[in-house]
Amino acid sequence: MSDSAHAGLVFSVLQGRAGFEALRVRWQALADSLPHATYLQQPGWIAGYLDMLGGDERSLRFVTASGKNGQLLAVLVLVRRPGRARGLLPALEMVHGPHMVLADLVADPGNTLLLPAMLDWLSRQRAVRWAVLRLPAVCAGSTLATLLQAHPTPRSQQTLRTHSAWLDCSGGIDQALQTVSKSFRTNLGRLARRANAQGELAYRVVSAPDELDDAFDAFLEVESSGWKRDSGTAIAQDDRLVAFYRRLVREFGARGACRIHLLTLDGQPVAAQFGLLSDRQLNLLKIGFSQAHAPLAPGNLIMLRTIEQVCADPDVDRLSFVTDPLWSQAWRPHRTPVDHVTVYPSTLVGDVLFRAALWRERRRARTPQPTEEGLPAGPMVASAQEASAEVEALRA
């Protein structure tokens, strides 16, 4: 742990699970004080990440900023990577991965001087050596994006990585679906009638803490059906991922912020969704449906029910798909940019690396590149393989 005063703030670096536990109570108080805190800024989110890591958490660093009175003002969660040149150029990177595709700084976005002071201190301190700081999942409108925009960092690069898709549900179902094609909605109605002809189709929202464990088990069963089980990519087949999501159930369920949606046919789950609620937005982290029932397009049927439910909920204004999956295009969502920001320290090494990065960028700009819409969605959402099965059902 390192402490140092800088620009009227006191900065520290804590490490691993012990650092997290020492920080947790103050972190929760900070998150609770933020008027628009998201699930990404909650300590429960990182608690899930620690469970997924198991005992391999020594690379985790918590950079904190406090006032002179000791009040915690910011938490930046980073992972230290060996970096290039046989580890001589180590990197710091925000926690990020297939099941954690977005990240944010825990701080008041109105404190615009905080981030420049933190980055300057990180460049000067000696407790954690680094040659590059990677912020690979900066979503427009987030606290981190707001602070970077308020005070652009001189030695930084910003590139578009992908998008985050969402629906505006604040004005009712007609507004949320106003751009959805008439044929798509007609086909959904036809498929719902077909499903009801085969049995009783029911939709359920589970949020009570004492019911979430059973609902999560049902979610895992649905999510691991079909090709995911055969390919070994289902959550249920990876103990680390099960630990991650179970921790989210406990952490956010206790705060009334975890929701599991189940669509059943004669009591048998045929589709399920895993979501976290924060800042009047329901974030769908993971979805799945029974491959055996793909001809009924249960993934789209449960999505329609969820959109209707969110539109009717006075406490929720938006439905987020988190990433920008192919299947979401049928719902005509809004798309918010998610950028990859690279920051270099105010050191001689940082200056050399920054200039080299600019040279490579100019060189690439002179070379024709294939057009891409962004990186494909990770395992957090249904894959293109799942989407194609439902598209065929909608066309049938």
Side-chain angles (χ1 to χ4, degrees), residues 159-190:
T159 56
L160 177 65
R161 179 179 180 273
T162 183
H163 291 86
S164 178
W166 55 279
L167 293 176
D168 182 358
C169 298
S170 62
I173 187 67
D174 290 335
Q175 175 188 317
L177 302 181
Q178 61 183 340
T179 59
V180 174
S181 70
K182 183 177 179 180
S183 61
F184 180 72
R185 298 182 68 173
T186 299
N187 283 336
L188 282 179
R190 173 179 58 82

PDB file of all heavy atoms in Angstrom, residues 159-190:
ATOM      1  N   THR A 159      -9.720   5.192 -29.515  1.00  0.00           N
ATOM      2  CA  THR A 159     -10.231   4.550 -30.717  1.00  0.00           C
ATOM      3  C   THR A 159     -11.564   3.891 -30.407  1.00  0.00           C
ATOM      4  O   THR A 159     -11.797   3.425 -29.293  1.00  0.00           O
ATOM      5  CB  THR A 159      -9.250   3.474 -31.238  1.00  0.00           C
ATOM      6  OG1 THR A 159      -8.989   2.532 -30.192  1.00  0.00           O
ATOM      7  CG2 THR A 159      -7.947   4.105 -31.690  1.00  0.00           C
ATOM      8  N   LEU A 160     -12.436   3.853 -31.418  1.00  0.00           N
ATOM      9  CA  LEU A 160     -13.738   3.204 -31.247  1.00  0.00           C
ATOM     10  C   LEU A 160     -13.547   1.698 -31.209  1.00  0.00           C
ATOM     11  O   LEU A 160     -12.932   1.116 -32.088  1.00  0.00           O
ATOM     12  CB  LEU A 160     -14.687   3.578 -32.389  1.00  0.00           C
ATOM     13  CG  LEU A 160     -16.062   2.895 -32.356  1.00  0.00           C
ATOM     14  CD1 LEU A 160     -16.856   3.354 -31.133  1.00  0.00           C
ATOM     15  CD2 LEU A 160     -16.849   3.196 -33.634  1.00  0.00           C
ATOM     16  N   ARG A 161     -14.070   1.089 -30.179  1.00  0.00           N
ATOM     17  CA  ARG A 161     -13.952  -0.361 -30.034  1.00  0.00           C
ATOM     18  C   ARG A 161     -15.230  -1.056 -30.467  1.00  0.00           C
ATOM     19  O   ARG A 161     -15.223  -1.982 -31.241  1.00  0.00           O
ATOM     20  CB  ARG A 161     -13.609  -0.722 -28.580  1.00  0.00           C
ATOM     21  CG  ARG A 161     -13.477  -2.203 -28.327  1.00  0.00           C
ATOM     22  CD  ARG A 161     -13.119  -2.488 -26.875  1.00  0.00           C
ATOM     23  NE  ARG A 161     -13.009  -3.921 -26.662  1.00  0.00           N
ATOM     24  CZ  ARG A 161     -14.020  -4.694 -26.356  1.00  0.00           C
ATOM     25  NH1 ARG A 161     -15.234  -4.182 -26.235  1.00  0.00           N
ATOM     26  NH2 ARG A 161     -13.849  -5.986 -26.174  1.00  0.00           N
ATOM     27  N   THR A 162     -16.363  -0.601 -29.941  1.00  0.00           N
ATOM     28  CA  THR A 162     -17.645  -1.213 -30.262  1.00  0.00           C
ATOM     29  C   THR A 162     -18.751  -0.270 -29.787  1.00  0.00           C
ATOM     30  O   THR A 162     -18.519   0.924 -29.614  1.00  0.00           O
ATOM     31  CB  THR A 162     -17.757  -2.601 -29.592  1.00  0.00           C
ATOM     32  OG1 THR A 162     -18.992  -3.202 -29.968  1.00  0.00           O
ATOM     33  CG2 THR A 162     -17.660  -2.525 -28.092  1.00  0.00           C
ATOM     34  N   HIS A 163     -19.940  -0.814 -29.566  1.00  0.00           N
ATOM     35  CA  HIS A 163     -21.073  -0.020 -29.081  1.00  0.00           C
ATOM     36  C   HIS A 163     -21.803  -0.778 -27.969  1.00  0.00           C
ATOM     37  O   HIS A 163     -21.641  -1.989 -27.818  1.00  0.00           O
ATOM     38  CB  HIS A 163     -22.069   0.276 -30.210  1.00  0.00           C
ATOM     39  CG  HIS A 163     -21.546   1.209 -31.253  1.00  0.00           C
ATOM     40  ND1 HIS A 163     -20.805   0.771 -32.330  1.00  0.00           N
ATOM     41  CD2 HIS A 163     -21.657   2.558 -31.387  1.00  0.00           C
ATOM     42  CE1 HIS A 163     -20.485   1.799 -33.090  1.00  0.00           C
ATOM     43  NE2 HIS A 163     -20.990   2.889 -32.546  1.00  0.00           N
ATOM     44  N   SER A 164     -22.609  -0.041 -27.231  1.00  0.00           N
ATOM     45  CA  SER A 164     -23.520  -0.620 -26.254  1.00  0.00           C
ATOM     46  C   SER A 164     -24.936  -0.265 -26.685  1.00  0.00           C
ATOM     47  O   SER A 164     -25.261   0.914 -26.855  1.00  0.00           O
ATOM     48  CB  SER A 164     -23.229  -0.064 -24.854  1.00  0.00           C
ATOM     49  OG  SER A 164     -24.148  -0.583 -23.901  1.00  0.00           O
ATOM     50  N   ALA A 165     -25.782  -1.278 -26.885  1.00  0.00           N
ATOM     51  CA  ALA A 165     -27.135  -1.063 -27.403  1.00  0.00           C
ATOM     52  C   ALA A 165     -28.145  -0.977 -26.260  1.00  0.00           C
ATOM     53  O   ALA A 165     -28.005  -1.659 -25.246  1.00  0.00           O
ATOM     54  CB  ALA A 165     -27.509  -2.192 -28.359  1.00  0.00           C
ATOM     55  N   TRP A 166     -29.181  -0.135 -26.443  1.00  0.00           N
ATOM     56  CA  TRP A 166     -30.187   0.036 -25.400  1.00  0.00           C
ATOM     57  C   TRP A 166     -31.486   0.557 -25.994  1.00  0.00           C
ATOM     58  O   TRP A 166     -31.511   1.129 -27.084  1.00  0.00           O
ATOM     59  CB  TRP A 166     -29.695   0.980 -24.308  1.00  0.00           C
ATOM     60  CG  TRP A 166     -29.261   2.324 -24.816  1.00  0.00           C
ATOM     61  CD1 TRP A 166     -28.051   2.649 -25.381  1.00  0.00           C
ATOM     62  CD2 TRP A 166     -30.039   3.525 -24.847  1.00  0.00           C
ATOM     63  NE1 TRP A 166     -28.024   3.970 -25.748  1.00  0.00           N
ATOM     64  CE2 TRP A 166     -29.234   4.543 -25.415  1.00  0.00           C
ATOM     65  CE3 TRP A 166     -31.333   3.856 -24.426  1.00  0.00           C
ATOM     66  CZ2 TRP A 166     -29.682   5.853 -25.597  1.00  0.00           C
ATOM     67  CZ3 TRP A 166     -31.782   5.158 -24.600  1.00  0.00           C
ATOM     68  CH2 TRP A 166     -30.963   6.133 -25.173  1.00  0.00           C
ATOM     69  N   LEU A 167     -32.569   0.343 -25.248  1.00  0.00           N
ATOM     70  CA  LEU A 167     -33.894   0.823 -25.640  1.00  0.00           C
ATOM     71  C   LEU A 167     -34.380   1.862 -24.641  1.00  0.00           C
ATOM     72  O   LEU A 167     -34.194   1.701 -23.430  1.00  0.00           O
ATOM     73  CB  LEU A 167     -34.897  -0.330 -25.689  1.00  0.00           C
ATOM     74  CG  LEU A 167     -34.694  -1.402 -26.765  1.00  0.00           C
ATOM     75  CD1 LEU A 167     -35.737  -2.509 -26.587  1.00  0.00           C
ATOM     76  CD2 LEU A 167     -34.790  -0.796 -28.159  1.00  0.00           C
ATOM     77  N   ASP A 168     -35.010   2.900 -25.148  1.00  0.00           N
ATOM     78  CA  ASP A 168     -35.634   3.916 -24.302  1.00  0.00           C
ATOM     79  C   ASP A 168     -37.037   3.438 -23.937  1.00  0.00           C
ATOM     80  O   ASP A 168     -37.913   3.349 -24.798  1.00  0.00           O
ATOM     81  CB  ASP A 168     -35.698   5.247 -25.053  1.00  0.00           C
ATOM     82  CG  ASP A 168     -36.291   6.366 -24.209  1.00  0.00           C
ATOM     83  OD1 ASP A 168     -36.700   6.116 -23.055  1.00  0.00           O
ATOM     84  OD2 ASP A 168     -36.349   7.519 -24.703  1.00  0.00           O
ATOM     85  N   CYS A 169     -37.235   3.106 -22.673  1.00  0.00           N
ATOM     86  CA  CYS A 169     -38.525   2.580 -22.215  1.00  0.00           C
ATOM     87  C   CYS A 169     -39.272   3.578 -21.344  1.00  0.00           C
ATOM     88  O   CYS A 169     -40.230   3.213 -20.654  1.00  0.00           O
ATOM     89  CB  CYS A 169     -38.306   1.277 -21.441  1.00  0.00           C
ATOM     90  SG  CYS A 169     -37.565  -0.055 -22.413  1.00  0.00           S
ATOM     91  N   SER A 170     -38.835   4.830 -21.356  1.00  0.00           N
ATOM     92  CA  SER A 170     -39.432   5.835 -20.468  1.00  0.00           C
ATOM     93  C   SER A 170     -40.804   6.303 -20.929  1.00  0.00           C
ATOM     94  O   SER A 170     -41.574   6.834 -20.127  1.00  0.00           O
ATOM     95  CB  SER A 170     -38.498   7.047 -20.347  1.00  0.00           C
ATOM     96  OG  SER A 170     -38.309   7.665 -21.614  1.00  0.00           O
ATOM     97  N   GLY A 171     -41.120   6.096 -22.213  1.00  0.00           N
ATOM     98  CA  GLY A 171     -42.385   6.611 -22.731  1.00  0.00           C
ATOM     99  C   GLY A 171     -43.407   5.553 -23.070  1.00  0.00           C
ATOM    100  O   GLY A 171     -44.395   5.843 -23.753  1.00  0.00           O
ATOM    101  N   GLY A 172     -43.196   4.322 -22.641  1.00  0.00           N
ATOM    102  CA  GLY A 172     -44.164   3.269 -22.910  1.00  0.00           C
ATOM    103  C   GLY A 172     -43.729   2.365 -24.044  1.00  0.00           C
ATOM    104  O   GLY A 172     -42.756   2.619 -24.761  1.00  0.00           O
ATOM    105  N   ILE A 173     -44.478   1.285 -24.224  1.00  0.00           N
ATOM    106  CA  ILE A 173     -44.112   0.244 -25.168  1.00  0.00           C
ATOM    107  C   ILE A 173     -44.141   0.749 -26.603  1.00  0.00           C
ATOM    108  O   ILE A 173     -43.293   0.362 -27.432  1.00  0.00           O
ATOM    109  CB  ILE A 173     -45.033  -0.993 -24.995  1.00  0.00           C
ATOM    110  CG1 ILE A 173     -44.542  -2.162 -25.864  1.00  0.00           C
ATOM    111  CG2 ILE A 173     -46.479  -0.637 -25.302  1.00  0.00           C
ATOM    112  CD1 ILE A 173     -43.226  -2.722 -25.438  1.00  0.00           C
ATOM    113  N   ASP A 174     -45.094   1.618 -26.939  1.00  0.00           N
ATOM    114  CA  ASP A 174     -45.175   2.107 -28.316  1.00  0.00           C
ATOM    115  C   ASP A 174     -43.938   2.918 -28.688  1.00  0.00           C
ATOM    116  O   ASP A 174     -43.441   2.819 -29.809  1.00  0.00           O
ATOM    117  CB  ASP A 174     -46.440   2.958 -28.512  1.00  0.00           C
ATOM    118  CG  ASP A 174     -47.702   2.114 -28.466  1.00  0.00           C
ATOM    119  OD1 ASP A 174     -47.608   0.897 -28.755  1.00  0.00           O
ATOM    120  OD2 ASP A 174     -48.775   2.654 -28.131  1.00  0.00           O
ATOM    121  N   GLN A 175     -43.447   3.722 -27.749  1.00  0.00           N
ATOM    122  CA  GLN A 175     -42.237   4.490 -28.018  1.00  0.00           C
ATOM    123  C   GLN A 175     -41.028   3.565 -28.121  1.00  0.00           C
ATOM    124  O   GLN A 175     -40.196   3.714 -29.020  1.00  0.00           O
ATOM    125  CB  GLN A 175     -41.978   5.514 -26.919  1.00  0.00           C
ATOM    126  CG  GLN A 175     -40.652   6.265 -27.086  1.00  0.00           C
ATOM    127  CD  GLN A 175     -40.321   7.135 -25.897  1.00  0.00           C
ATOM    128  OE1 GLN A 175     -41.178   7.825 -25.367  1.00  0.00           O
ATOM    129  NE2 GLN A 175     -39.061   7.102 -25.469  1.00  0.00           N
ATOM    130  N   ALA A 176     -40.932   2.600 -27.221  1.00  0.00           N
ATOM    131  CA  ALA A 176     -39.776   1.703 -27.213  1.00  0.00           C
ATOM    132  C   ALA A 176     -39.658   0.921 -28.514  1.00  0.00           C
ATOM    133  O   ALA A 176     -38.550   0.642 -28.982  1.00  0.00           O
ATOM    134  CB  ALA A 176     -39.861   0.764 -26.019  1.00  0.00           C
ATOM    135  N   LEU A 177     -40.816   0.572 -29.100  1.00  0.00           N
ATOM    136  CA  LEU A 177     -40.818  -0.268 -30.299  1.00  0.00           C
ATOM    137  C   LEU A 177     -41.252   0.490 -31.549  1.00  0.00           C
ATOM    138  O   LEU A 177     -41.617  -0.136 -32.554  1.00  0.00           O
ATOM    139  CB  LEU A 177     -41.737  -1.470 -30.081  1.00  0.00           C
ATOM    140  CG  LEU A 177     -41.403  -2.387 -28.896  1.00  0.00           C
ATOM    141  CD1 LEU A 177     -42.389  -3.546 -28.834  1.00  0.00           C
ATOM    142  CD2 LEU A 177     -39.978  -2.904 -28.990  1.00  0.00           C
ATOM    143  N   GLN A 178     -41.173   1.810 -31.533  1.00  0.00           N
ATOM    144  CA  GLN A 178     -41.718   2.593 -32.633  1.00  0.00           C
ATOM    145  C   GLN A 178     -40.990   2.363 -33.963  1.00  0.00           C
ATOM    146  O   GLN A 178     -41.566   2.545 -35.043  1.00  0.00           O
ATOM    147  CB  GLN A 178     -41.686   4.088 -32.286  1.00  0.00           C
ATOM    148  CG  GLN A 178     -40.311   4.649 -32.027  1.00  0.00           C
ATOM    149  CD  GLN A 178     -40.365   6.125 -31.626  1.00  0.00           C
ATOM    150  OE1 GLN A 178     -41.359   6.803 -31.897  1.00  0.00           O
ATOM    151  NE2 GLN A 178     -39.317   6.618 -30.990  1.00  0.00           N
ATOM    152  N   THR A 179     -39.719   1.957 -33.914  1.00  0.00           N
ATOM    153  CA  THR A 179     -38.979   1.726 -35.151  1.00  0.00           C
ATOM    154  C   THR A 179     -38.854   0.244 -35.507  1.00  0.00           C
ATOM    155  O   THR A 179     -38.245  -0.092 -36.519  1.00  0.00           O
ATOM    156  CB  THR A 179     -37.568   2.339 -35.051  1.00  0.00           C
ATOM    157  OG1 THR A 179     -36.868   1.757 -33.948  1.00  0.00           O
ATOM    158  CG2 THR A 179     -37.645   3.848 -34.866  1.00  0.00           C
ATOM    159  N   VAL A 180     -39.418  -0.620 -34.678  1.00  0.00           N
ATOM    160  CA  VAL A 180     -39.390  -2.059 -34.970  1.00  0.00           C
ATOM    161  C   VAL A 180     -40.343  -2.348 -36.124  1.00  0.00           C
ATOM    162  O   VAL A 180     -41.461  -1.831 -36.171  1.00  0.00           O
ATOM    163  CB  VAL A 180     -39.771  -2.879 -33.722  1.00  0.00           C
ATOM    164  CG1 VAL A 180     -39.883  -4.357 -34.063  1.00  0.00           C
ATOM    165  CG2 VAL A 180     -38.744  -2.666 -32.625  1.00  0.00           C
ATOM    166  N   SER A 181     -39.901  -3.183 -37.044  1.00  0.00           N
ATOM    167  CA  SER A 181     -40.717  -3.436 -38.237  1.00  0.00           C
ATOM    168  C   SER A 181     -42.037  -4.110 -37.875  1.00  0.00           C
ATOM    169  O   SER A 181     -42.115  -4.908 -36.933  1.00  0.00           O
ATOM    170  CB  SER A 181     -39.947  -4.310 -39.224  1.00  0.00           C
ATOM    171  OG  SER A 181     -39.812  -5.628 -38.734  1.00  0.00           O
ATOM    172  N   LYS A 182     -43.052  -3.777 -38.641  1.00  0.00           N
ATOM    173  CA  LYS A 182     -44.379  -4.348 -38.415  1.00  0.00           C
ATOM    174  C   LYS A 182     -44.358  -5.859 -38.625  1.00  0.00           C
ATOM    175  O   LYS A 182     -45.010  -6.610 -37.872  1.00  0.00           O
ATOM    176  CB  LYS A 182     -45.386  -3.699 -39.369  1.00  0.00           C
ATOM    177  CG  LYS A 182     -46.814  -4.179 -39.165  1.00  0.00           C
ATOM    178  CD  LYS A 182     -47.783  -3.455 -40.099  1.00  0.00           C
ATOM    179  CE  LYS A 182     -49.205  -3.959 -39.904  1.00  0.00           C
ATOM    180  NZ  LYS A 182     -50.160  -3.255 -40.821  1.00  0.00           N
ATOM    181  N   SER A 183     -43.598  -6.322 -39.616  1.00  0.00           N
ATOM    182  CA  SER A 183     -43.550  -7.763 -39.894  1.00  0.00           C
ATOM    183  C   SER A 183     -42.908  -8.526 -38.733  1.00  0.00           C
ATOM    184  O   SER A 183     -43.337  -9.648 -38.414  1.00  0.00           O
ATOM    185  CB  SER A 183     -42.770  -8.021 -41.180  1.00  0.00           C
ATOM    186  OG  SER A 183     -41.429  -7.553 -41.064  1.00  0.00           O
ATOM    187  N   PHE A 184     -41.891  -7.920 -38.101  1.00  0.00           N
ATOM    188  CA  PHE A 184     -41.240  -8.570 -36.964  1.00  0.00           C
ATOM    189  C   PHE A 184     -42.216  -8.737 -35.812  1.00  0.00           C
ATOM    190  O   PHE A 184     -42.317  -9.813 -35.206  1.00  0.00           O
ATOM    191  CB  PHE A 184     -40.029  -7.744 -36.527  1.00  0.00           C
ATOM    192  CG  PHE A 184     -39.274  -8.318 -35.353  1.00  0.00           C
ATOM    193  CD1 PHE A 184     -38.498  -9.457 -35.488  1.00  0.00           C
ATOM    194  CD2 PHE A 184     -39.333  -7.714 -34.108  1.00  0.00           C
ATOM    195  CE1 PHE A 184     -37.802  -9.987 -34.410  1.00  0.00           C
ATOM    196  CE2 PHE A 184     -38.643  -8.227 -33.022  1.00  0.00           C
ATOM    197  CZ  PHE A 184     -37.877  -9.369 -33.177  1.00  0.00           C
ATOM    198  N   ARG A 185     -42.971  -7.683 -35.494  1.00  0.00           N
ATOM    199  CA  ARG A 185     -43.944  -7.759 -34.397  1.00  0.00           C
ATOM    200  C   ARG A 185     -45.065  -8.731 -34.749  1.00  0.00           C
ATOM    201  O   ARG A 185     -45.563  -9.463 -33.871  1.00  0.00           O
ATOM    202  CB  ARG A 185     -44.482  -6.367 -34.087  1.00  0.00           C
ATOM    203  CG  ARG A 185     -43.410  -5.389 -33.621  1.00  0.00           C
ATOM    204  CD  ARG A 185     -43.962  -4.036 -33.282  1.00  0.00           C
ATOM    205  NE  ARG A 185     -44.797  -4.071 -32.092  1.00  0.00           N
ATOM    206  CZ  ARG A 185     -45.297  -2.963 -31.518  1.00  0.00           C
ATOM    207  NH1 ARG A 185     -45.034  -1.767 -32.021  1.00  0.00           N
ATOM    208  NH2 ARG A 185     -46.056  -3.064 -30.454  1.00  0.00           N
ATOM    209  N   THR A 186     -45.472  -8.753 -36.007  1.00  0.00           N
ATOM    210  CA  THR A 186     -46.524  -9.683 -36.430  1.00  0.00           C
ATOM    211  C   THR A 186     -46.065 -11.131 -36.265  1.00  0.00           C
ATOM    212  O   THR A 186     -46.813 -11.988 -35.769  1.00  0.00           O
ATOM    213  CB  THR A 186     -46.913  -9.423 -37.897  1.00  0.00           C
ATOM    214  OG1 THR A 186     -47.420  -8.089 -38.024  1.00  0.00           O
ATOM    215  CG2 THR A 186     -47.974 -10.417 -38.350  1.00  0.00           C
ATOM    216  N   ASN A 187     -44.815 -11.397 -36.660  1.00  0.00           N
ATOM    217  CA  ASN A 187     -44.288 -12.748 -36.533  1.00  0.00           C
ATOM    218  C   ASN A 187     -44.156 -13.166 -35.065  1.00  0.00           C
ATOM    219  O   ASN A 187     -44.381 -14.331 -34.721  1.00  0.00           O
ATOM    220  CB  ASN A 187     -42.928 -12.851 -37.223  1.00  0.00           C
ATOM    221  CG  ASN A 187     -43.054 -12.946 -38.732  1.00  0.00           C
ATOM    222  OD1 ASN A 187     -44.079 -13.375 -39.244  1.00  0.00           O
ATOM    223  ND2 ASN A 187     -42.020 -12.527 -39.436  1.00  0.00           N
ATOM    224  N   LEU A 188     -43.791 -12.221 -34.185  1.00  0.00           N
ATOM    225  CA  LEU A 188     -43.719 -12.532 -32.766  1.00  0.00           C
ATOM    226  C   LEU A 188     -45.088 -12.925 -32.224  1.00  0.00           C
ATOM    227  O   LEU A 188     -45.215 -13.860 -31.428  1.00  0.00           O
ATOM    228  CB  LEU A 188     -43.162 -11.341 -31.986  1.00  0.00           C
ATOM    229  CG  LEU A 188     -41.649 -11.129 -32.046  1.00  0.00           C
ATOM    230  CD1 LEU A 188     -41.259  -9.892 -31.250  1.00  0.00           C
ATOM    231  CD2 LEU A 188     -40.908 -12.342 -31.507  1.00  0.00           C
ATOM    232  N   GLY A 189     -46.114 -12.198 -32.651  1.00  0.00           N
ATOM    233  CA  GLY A 189     -47.467 -12.548 -32.228  1.00  0.00           C
ATOM    234  C   GLY A 189     -47.868 -13.925 -32.711  1.00  0.00           C
ATOM    235  O   GLY A 189     -48.494 -14.703 -31.972  1.00  0.00           O
ATOM    236  N   ARG A 190     -47.491 -14.254 -33.932  1.00  0.00           N
ATOM    237  CA  ARG A 190     -47.804 -15.580 -34.491  1.00  0.00           C
ATOM    238  C   ARG A 190     -47.103 -16.682 -33.702  1.00  0.00           C
ATOM    239  O   ARG A 190     -47.700 -17.712 -33.379  1.00  0.00           O
ATOM    240  CB  ARG A 190     -47.378 -15.611 -35.959  1.00  0.00           C
ATOM    241  CG  ARG A 190     -47.483 -16.980 -36.616  1.00  0.00           C
ATOM    242  CD  ARG A 190     -47.054 -16.918 -38.077  1.00  0.00           C
ATOM    243  NE  ARG A 190     -45.700 -16.417 -38.231  1.00  0.00           N
ATOM    244  CZ  ARG A 190     -44.604 -17.149 -38.089  1.00  0.00           C
ATOM    245  NH1 ARG A 190     -44.716 -18.433 -37.747  1.00  0.00           N
ATOM    246  NH2 ARG A 190     -43.410 -16.628 -38.282  1.00  0.00           N
TER     247      ARG A 190
END
